[in-house]
Amino acid sequence: MEIIEGAGVWTTPPGADGADWTEQLRRPDLSVGTYCIPAGGTDTQSPHTEDEIYVVTSGRATLTTPARTAEVGPGTVVFVPAGEDHRFTDVTEDLALLVVFGPAYGSRA
């Protein structure tokens, strides 16, 4: 067993309007990390080569994909399949996301 310290906990990203990704656990078949976007910040991520699950631990925003737009807040859990374009917009409260990638982030790149 391993306790993953800091996973899903808000930390202030470097830079005034940027987002920050921190990986806290990496294994060949999955990785776990935290993605933070400050209120009013910009999500500049590109589609990933791995499936991912987001768990919103704090904050509020809109998640947009080509097929759907949804408001997200604490407790929201979202699955995004590999290759799907997605973006958090309208971040109205500092957004902290616990992110699980399967397999590990960047391993299919």
Side-chain angles (χ1 to χ4, degrees):
M1 176 178 76
E2 183 174 343
I3 303 296
I4 305 170
E5 298 291 336
V9 176
W10 167 259
T11 55
T12 303
D17 62 352
D20 184 52
W21 158 254
T22 303
E23 188 175 65
Q24 281 109 356
L25 176 76
R26 184 175 189 85
R27 299 290 184 268
D29 292 331
L30 68 89
S31 60
V32 175
T34 304
Y35 187 43
C36 296
I37 306 170
T42 303
D43 179 8
T44 60
Q45 66 180 314
S46 300
H48 311 294
T49 54
E50 301 79 28
D51 291 334
E52 67 184 311
I53 293 175
Y54 288 107
V55 179
V56 181
T57 58
S58 64
R60 298 197 179 278
T62 302
L63 178 59
T64 303
T65 70
R68 184 171 178 200
T69 297
E71 301 297 315
V72 298
T76 304
V77 179
V78 180
F79 170 72
V80 178
E84 183 173 66
D85 191 27
H86 59 286
R87 188 125 12 267
F88 291 94
T89 61
D90 303 320
V91 181
T92 59
E93 298 174 14
D94 291 345
L95 188 65
L97 304 151
L98 174 68
V99 186
V100 179
F101 284 98
Y105 175 72
S107 64
R108 289 183 179 165

